[in-house]
Amino acid sequence: MQISGAIALVTGANRGLGREFAVQLLERGATKVYAAARRPELIDIPGVEPLQLDITDPASIAAAASTASDITLLINNAGISTGANLVSGDLDVIRREMDTNFWGTLHMIRAFAPRLGGGAILNVLSALSWFAYDGAGAYGAAKAATWNLTNGVRLELAAQKTLVTGLHLGAADTDMMADYTGPKIAPAAVVKAALDGIEANRLEVVADEWSAHVKASLAADPSEFYQLS
């Protein structure tokens, strides 16, 4: 899969990683970039084609699939993080995280997969696909589900030669993580690693040391990672 000459659709392209994906795709020579968002009027990237899209709305997805019927690369970046936990959190809020991060991603893939033979799909996941954090229980559960969704979709689409890549990262320096005070990775570095991974036909991109550390910890007893007293 080469970025130069690709026709890409990026969800959640009005800010953060999504905006950076759209910018770098153009810089790498993508022929066309559909920059999708619920409010496309907020997209300020010269050279893209703004596209209205709400990934929780099947009618909106169908309309986008009709408009962007020529894509060769789908980047599922749109997502939400509410801060809800699983026992104490509002169930409606938890469902909204699943509806967006898991079901929204799956509905996008189902809508666009038939036209992606020989192309690629990138799902933006998280280090929280592999561990739980108090204050992000719903988000972690949704991303864990989307990680295995990525694996399952990859197997189903192998026959049509569609590359399916999962991107894992810790905290990126975006609006979503504005209140986080720990180390953050630059969005440009995350996107560069992801696009390099697509061009190298990689099934998984681990964008930072924290994500690599968490992934490595899965082979050990959970007590070593969580250190619960």
Side-chain angles (χ1 to χ4, degrees):
M1 178 73 198
Q2 295 300 310
I3 302 302
S4 179
I7 299 174
L9 187 155
V10 183
T11 65
N14 57 305
R15 63 177 186 167
L17 290 179
R19 187 183 189 283
E20 186 64 31
F21 268 113
V23 168
Q24 289 198 30
L25 284 164
L26 290 173
E27 291 175 348
R28 290 186 181 223
T31 301
K32 186 190 298 184
V33 177
Y34 294 99
R38 286 180 296 176
R39 296 182 59 191
E41 69 274 12
L42 298 179
I43 294 170
D44 61 352
I45 310 163
V48 303
E49 297 200 14
L51 182 66
Q52 198 286 325
L53 175 62
D54 179 350
I55 67 169
T56 67
D57 180 356
S60 180
I61 292 174
S66 177
T67 298
S69 60
D70 53 348
I71 71 166
T72 59
L73 171 60
L74 172 63
I75 297 181
N76 286 311
N77 164 76
I80 61 170
S81 177
T82 66
N85 273 338
L86 296 169
V87 176
S88 59
D90 185 312
L91 284 175
D92 288 338
V93 174
I94 295 168
R95 288 191 184 96
R96 186 156 61 91
E97 291 233 28
M98 291 297 295
D99 284 344
T100 304
N101 298 324
F102 176 82
W103 288 109
T105 299
L106 179 57
H107 286 314
M108 285 293 295
I109 292 170
R110 288 169 65 99
F112 284 93
R115 64 205 70 201
L116 283 171
I121 298 169
L122 176 77
N123 290 339
V124 178
L125 304 172
S126 171
L128 279 159
S129 305
W130 296 321
F131 80 108
Y133 180 78
D134 189 13
Y139 183 80
K143 287 298 185 178
T146 310
W147 171 44
N148 218 16
L149 175 158
T150 302
N151 295 330
V153 165
R154 181 183 301 123
L155 297 179
E156 291 190 55
L157 299 184
Q160 69 175 45
K161 306 298 183 184
T162 299
L163 173 69
V164 180
T165 302
L167 169 65
H168 295 266
L169 64 144
D173 192 8
T174 63
D175 291 348
M176 182 180 287
M177 298 301 296
D179 294 332
Y180 180 72
T181 58
K184 301 178 187 180
I185 185 171
V190 174
V191 171
K192 180 181 185 303
L195 297 182
D196 286 348
I198 290 171
E199 292 199 314
N201 292 322
R202 291 178 59 188
L203 303 186
E204 184 174 83
V205 175
V206 179
D208 57 0
E209 292 183 3
W210 172 244
S211 299
H213 165 71
V214 174
K215 183 180 181 183
S217 76
L218 295 177
D221 189 288
S223 63
E224 296 181 23
F225 183 87
Y226 290 106
Q227 298 182 359
L228 296 174
S229 56

